Amino acid sequence: MLQVDGTPGQNHSGMAGVAAIVRSPGGQILAWRSCQMPAHTSNAAEYQALIVGLQLVLERYGRVRVRCLTDSQVAVEQLSGRANVRADGLAPLYAQAAALATQLAHVTFIHIPRDLNRLADALAWEALSGRRLLRGYT
């Protein structure tokens, strides 16, 4: 299972904090990555988080089946083929995420409520701030 989140922050400086967490079927954290990536909008930040997460899964686990959980309904609808990408700025990010997804055995994109994505959200904000705020996760 892959859980992702991205935030451009409150001032939309052109950089976003993104986070990806790989969990076992029982919910145990197996790996995680958080960093800053270029993004001017919330949707771009969410796509950057998806890209980082899909890359992490491919690097660590290869061609596996993945359930990808995100609070971005836009990305889920677009990557699931139920909505078109209309924003020009999202098209290259969509293409990159979709290409990564094809390298996996199977990917299911699932929209979850924001309150169920708290750890990924906190890690994304931590990455954006450049300060380590959370303890106990390495």
Side-chain angles (χ1 to χ4, degrees), residues 76-134:
V76 168
E77 293 298 310
Q78 291 172 345
L79 287 165
S80 297
R82 294 186 295 267
N84 294 325
V85 179
R86 292 191 178 105
D88 291 337
L90 288 185
L93 296 173
Y94 165 84
Q96 188 175 359
L100 288 166
T102 64
Q103 295 177 44
L104 293 161
H106 180 77
V107 181
T108 304
F109 295 98
I110 301 167
H111 177 256
I112 59 171
R114 194 171 196 184
D115 63 327
L116 295 180
N117 209 20
R118 287 186 183 150
L119 179 56
D121 180 66
L123 288 169
W125 278 97
E126 180 181 90
L128 184 62
S129 74
R131 296 180 305 186
R132 186 169 186 124
L133 305 172
L134 300 174

Side-chain angles (χ1 to χ4, degrees), residues 37-52:
M37 299 292 289
H40 291 281
T41 67
S42 295
N43 288 330
E46 297 287 357
Y47 266 105
Q48 290 285 27
L50 282 162
I51 290 164
V52 166

